[in-house]
Amino acid sequence: MEEFGVRRPHNPVAKGLPFLRLFDASGTMMDTNNNWETHTNASLIPEDLQPTNSLEPAIYTTLAPGVYTAHVLGVGASPTGIGLVEILEGD
């Protein structure tokens, strides 16, 4: 996110950690993550697309055509802020 001018605080726990949730069109939660390196498919994320901070959330998945919703939530001591979600199409 730093390429967009968004920088992580020096103490992310004190400022709140981002938590990412992915829902399908019916509202069913499909996946969640709050630390991209712990995600089941983390090793599949191309190196040039991996977040630079291990505390950033990321979900790598294959989706059928349709409608989806991504929620970014703050957790921790101060669960507020601005979130940016990028959705990329892979090969």
Side-chain angles (χ1 to χ4, degrees):
M1 289 179 36
E2 290 186 6
E3 64 265 22
F4 298 102
V6 179
R7 297 194 182 275
R8 297 277 309 154
H10 294 293
N11 185 351
V13 175
K15 300 290 185 180
L17 299 169
F19 188 81
L20 180 61
R21 301 187 304 183
L22 178 65
F23 296 88
D24 66 13
S26 69
T28 300
M29 189 171 1
M30 300 174 61
D31 207 344
T32 66
N33 187 257
N34 68 340
N35 177 335
W36 77 270
E37 292 178 325
T38 64
H39 191 268
T40 307
N41 295 333
S43 63
L44 301 176
I45 300 174
E47 190 172 328
D48 61 328
L49 297 178
Q50 294 174 355
T52 57
N53 187 323
S54 64
L55 299 176
E56 294 288 341
I59 296 173
Y60 186 91
T61 189
T62 300
L63 300 171
V67 176
Y68 300 90
T69 301
H71 288 179
V72 178
L73 307 163
V75 296
S78 178
T80 62
I82 298 171
L84 172 68
V85 176
E86 291 182 78
I87 300 172
L88 306 170
E89 182 178 356
D91 294 331

